[in-house]
Amino acid sequence: SGGAFAGDTAKPNTVQALMTQKLASAQGLLDGVVREDYAMIMKNADQLKAISRATTWYQKDSELFMRYANSFQNAADYLQEKSKAKDLEGVALGYTRITLECMQCHNYVRAGRTDK
């Protein structure tokens, strides 16, 4: 995971492409949750984690951004663990966690950085 994603030389339009890909993976994740398709959940959680890793270079000088990114990646790991265990309640909680982590980071980025 990650080979198809951008590295340190990515341009802002690449970030936009990654966010489009992230949205598609998030939609695939929801589809997997409602269908109880654990393989689909694991695949999309892995893609979301890889996209998050691919975008951390974007604001790696921001401690708060990196904390958000790490929390998002941890939520994806949790979702995969619960999916592997076929724990539907855990998957639902993991889906909620990853959604909240995503929203918090996007709110931070949209509001402008206040930490350096």
Side-chain angles (χ1 to χ4, degrees):
S1 65
F5 300 116
D8 287 344
T9 59
K11 296 183 173 40
N13 65 347
T14 305
V15 173
Q16 184 177 12
L18 285 170
M19 292 301 104
T20 299
Q21 192 171 4
K22 184 178 172 191
L23 178 59
S25 294
Q27 290 168 336
L29 181 61
L30 178 58
D31 190 23
V33 171
V34 298
R35 294 174 189 263
E36 293 183 49
D37 184 333
Y38 296 107
M40 183 184 284
I41 294 165
M42 292 194 54
K43 173 187 162 203
N44 284 286
D46 189 55
Q47 289 174 343
L48 288 167
K49 191 167 54 171
I51 292 166
S52 176
R53 281 194 209 116
T55 59
T56 55
W57 63 268
Y58 185 63
Q59 293 190 25
K60 66 182 169 188
D61 63 324
S62 167
E63 185 180 326
L64 189 53
F65 178 85
M66 293 305 292
R67 273 192 270 156
Y68 282 128
N70 287 334
S71 291
F72 182 86
Q73 292 164 21
N74 289 337
D77 287 338
Y78 177 86
L79 193 51
Q80 287 182 308
E81 289 171 21
K82 295 305 176 181
S83 183
K84 188 181 250 185
K86 296 189 180 345
D87 176 353
L88 190 57
E89 284 187 29
V91 165
L93 177 60
Y95 178 78
T96 301
R97 278 184 60 191
I98 205 165
T99 302
L100 289 172
E101 296 294 347
C102 188
M103 290 176 60
Q104 288 175 334
C105 188
H106 279 258
N107 287 341
Y108 165 72
V109 171
R110 275 194 297 270
R113 294 169 45 184
T114 57
D115 70 321
K116 290 229 175 193

